[in-house]
Amino acid sequence: MAIRSSDREVVRSGSFAFSFLAVVLALGALFTVASNDNTTSAVAAGGTSVTLDEYRINPDTINVAIDGTINVSNRGKVSHNLVIEGTDLKTETLAPSASGSLNVKGLKDGRYTVLCSISGHKEAGMHGVLIVGSGGPEGAAASGSTGRNADELTAMNADMDAMMQKPVDAYVGQLKGVVDHLNSTGKLDASLYKANTSYGSMTSSPLAGPSVLEPKVQADGTKQFDITAQVTQWEIEPGKTVSAWTYNGMVPGPTIRVQPGDKVRIRLINELPQSTVIHYHGVDVPVEMDGVPGVTQDAVNPGDTFDYEFTTTNHPAVGMYHSHHHAEAQVSDGLAGAFIIGDLPAEAIMGKATPDLRLPMMLNDAGTIGLSLNGKSFPATAPVVAVAGQWVQIDYMNEGQLAHPMHLHGIPQVVIAKDGFPLAQPYSADTVMVGPGERYSVLVHALPEHLGTAKDGSPALGIWAFHCHILSHAESSRGMFGMVTTFIVVPATAA
Ligand SMILES: [Cu+2]
């Protein structure tokens, strides 16, 4: 039985899959076009520059003049080379940071395959197309024994598309239980979301963001939060597990939510192999509690415990708690979480005091965690799900080392606060640039007009791509990865 609004079918898995794939494929197409525009190398008199890293040849379409030279640098962490398939032309094996050059003398006008011949690297993604001169007759090779003809290039493109589809399928697979239930009962049951990666110690649904830590309330009313810093195996994307440095076994750490005027004790238990501290970023605390080793306190040694005690201010805050010791590694590897005091004033916009869903979205781009949203890389990222009519507040928190322009397709983001300070004049944007250390709080109003349309004209799920718009943070020659998710609008009848 399908979902019905009076007698109309409003959600069907077919329309779900169709609209989702349409969105994602359109996104993919956009990225592919932009990527080709941006990464096809120019043919310069001084030679063409190519970089190698894990596991890409950049650009993956290389133009070089007849008898020209390709300058190759290894920017990766392991050795690579660049080989022109079917010829004996190749660079020597380049150690990390090493450079070499490759002269294409003797190659005819045409298209060739380039790759890294070190075992496993081609399969991991290190292959590309080399266009010598004009690319040969009819834009394809047919040139000599080494070029690619049009059929071979078409097959290569089909292979690439199939590879890029795999992460999309893995992402969509997480939603199958929710969609099947919608179709059979007409109701949204987010608990049927089946994440394609392990969330370790996290207790709540990934759809609600990092779980909120319950305090131990003491006799004097103090809210005590026990935070154990420890090394945890964390699955970033399906099949890829890294050594993360975590608070309470999850990335980001559990969200700490308190109210203005609360007496708070954060008990840091250090089970890491290094000293650490906690700094309260964007939260007003006495200087002794500010968590800067050697300045406001001694670093907390492995095996030791430290209590941070303060009374929260009488105004809301959108803060973060994170390491301030060897932080370029400790925070990048996962030691960060949201610290939220109260609610931002937004009644004038929403017509009610609090949003239907409030979701911290932690951005990271470095360390063992890498490019990620709330500790996961696409296709492991969780979507944001809202019923038409609902308001969602997203608190972006950038714990990375780069700025990230967070772009939501289709629905405006109303920016209501910067670093937890309410804006006198909230403004709408489709892309919000979030620099390292910054927090932007935005409201997204899901409306019926943001739903999709099924083939029979009835409303279907509206699935909107939601990603960092630095394209190399979201797309690669292997498909979408990193800072990509979706915002899904569900018909109100399903609530
Ligand atoms: Cu980015």
Side-chain angles (χ1 to χ4, degrees):
M1 178 186 141
I3 298 170
R4 290 180 184 281
S5 165
S6 59
D7 61 349
R8 286 200 308 160
E9 187 180 304
V10 294
V11 175
R12 297 185 307 178
S13 65
S15 58
F16 166 78
F18 176 79
S19 55
F20 179 80
L21 291 177
V23 165
V24 171
L25 292 174
L27 176 72
L30 169 72
F31 282 167
T32 303
V33 168
S35 169
N36 285 345
D37 284 352
N38 290 339
T39 62
T40 300
S41 64
V43 180
T48 299
S49 292
V50 171
T51 60
L52 309 176
D53 65 17
E54 289 79 50
Y55 288 91
R56 283 190 298 180
I57 295 171
N58 194 23
D60 59 11
T61 300
I62 305 164
N63 289 290
V64 66
I66 289 174
D67 293 342
T69 298
I70 307 169
N71 300 312
V72 185
S73 342
N74 181 3
R75 296 211 183 133
K77 292 177 176 154
V78 299
S79 293
H80 298 294
N81 64 15
L82 188 71
V83 173
I84 304 176
E85 194 176 55
T87 75
D88 53 9
L89 298 174
K90 60 182 178 183
T91 65
E92 37 192 271
T93 298
L94 301 171
S97 305
S99 302
S101 66
L102 182 57
N103 192 290
V104 302
K105 210 167 183 64
L107 285 191
K108 295 180 195 167
D109 223 28
R111 290 177 182 242
Y112 303 83
T113 295
V114 287
L115 52 92
C116 173
S117 68
I118 291 169
S119 180
H121 290 196
K122 177 190 173 194
E123 292 72 21
M126 295 190 74
H127 55 83
V129 176
L130 172 68
I131 300 175
V132 177
S134 67
E138 297 168 12
S143 61
S145 60
T146 56
R148 295 287 179 186
N149 64 34
D151 287 347
E152 287 170 320
L153 287 167
T154 300
M156 283 171 66
N157 185 58
D159 286 349
M160 185 182 74
D161 286 352
M163 181 170 61
M164 290 184 170
Q165 184 61 33
K166 282 182 188 169
V168 175
D169 291 344
Y171 183 85
V172 174
Q174 301 179 116
L175 292 155
K176 185 175 184 304
V178 177
V179 173
D180 287 350
H181 187 74
L182 268 172
N183 291 335
S184 60
T185 68
K187 292 296 165 193
L188 175 69
D189 182 353
S191 72
L192 296 172
Y193 179 78
K194 193 169 187 317
N196 60 25
T197 52
S198 164
Y199 275 78
S201 64
M202 201 167 112
T203 50
S204 55
S205 167
L207 300 180
S211 27
V212 175
L213 186 59
E214 286 301 317
K216 295 176 181 171
V217 182
Q218 308 296 300
D220 68 350
T222 298
K223 291 180 178 175
Q224 179 174 321
F225 298 89
D226 291 351
I227 297 287
T228 302
Q230 57 197 163
V231 180
T232 305
Q233 295 303 300
W234 181 255
E235 194 176 10
I236 300 282
E237 59 185 58
K240 184 181 174 189
T241 298
V242 301
S243 285
W245 286 37
T246 68
Y247 293 132
N248 294 5
M250 52 186 274
V251 183
T255 297
I256 297 175
R257 283 218 65 169
V258 291
Q259 295 304 316
D262 274 352
K263 287 172 72 174
V264 174
R265 176 182 301 126
I266 310 291
R267 175 159 293 172
L268 167 63
I269 302 143
N270 184 7
E271 294 183 358
L272 296 169
Q274 273 177 15
S275 308
T276 193
V277 289
I278 294 179
H279 166 61
Y280 301 88
H281 182 112
V283 180
D284 287 347
V285 297
V287 70
E288 295 78 12
M289 296 290 126
D290 196 46
V292 182
V295 179
T296 67
Q297 69 170 107
D298 293 334
V300 181
N301 290 319
D304 285 356
T305 291
F306 187 90
D307 284 349
Y308 295 91
E309 295 181 334
F310 51 89
T311 300
T312 57
T313 46
N314 281 316
H315 54 77
V318 181
M320 308 186 284
Y321 66 103
H322 59 215
S323 169
H324 209 289
H325 188 55
H326 199 357
E328 87 296 346
Q330 292 193 358
V331 174
S332 299
D333 288 357
L335 286 181
F339 194 111
I340 292 171
I341 303 174
D343 294 293
L344 292 172
E347 192 161 357
I349 295 171
M350 298 188 295
K352 56 184 176 181
T354 54
D356 298 284
L357 171 66
R358 183 170 181 184
L359 193 72
M361 187 174 286
M362 187 79 72
L363 315 181
N364 195 354
D365 50 49
T368 57
I369 306 300
L371 292 160
S372 57
L373 302 174
N374 278 340
K376 298 285 179 174
S377 168
F378 186 92
T381 44
V384 182
V385 179
V387 174
Q390 286 188 330
W391 288 91
V392 179
Q393 179 176 333
I394 297 168
D395 298 302
Y396 295 115
M397 303 185 170
N398 189 343
E399 287 283 17
Q401 302 185 26
L402 302 167
H404 300 286
M406 294 304 299
H407 176 55
L408 173 59
H409 292 209
I411 316 178
Q413 308 182 56
V414 184
V415 183
I416 57 168
K418 161 77 167 80
D419 300 336
F421 298 102
L423 298 184
Q425 293 201 309
Y427 62 93
S428 295
D430 59 42
T431 307
V432 178
M433 179 66 103
V434 189
E438 289 188 317
R439 285 90 62 222
Y440 279 89
S441 298
V442 304
L443 291 173
V444 180
H445 196 194
L447 291 169
E449 69 205 61
H450 302 125
L451 290 165
T453 306
K455 280 180 183 164
D456 66 0
S458 60
L461 298 183
I463 304 176
W464 299 98
F466 188 12
H467 59 97
C468 171
H469 216 291
I470 292 178
L471 300 177
S472 57
H473 295 179
E475 274 273 276
S476 78
S477 60
R478 283 169 287 161
M480 289 191 283
F481 79 108
M483 309 180 89
V484 178
T485 189
T486 58
F487 191 110
I488 301 178
V489 183
V490 178
T493 48

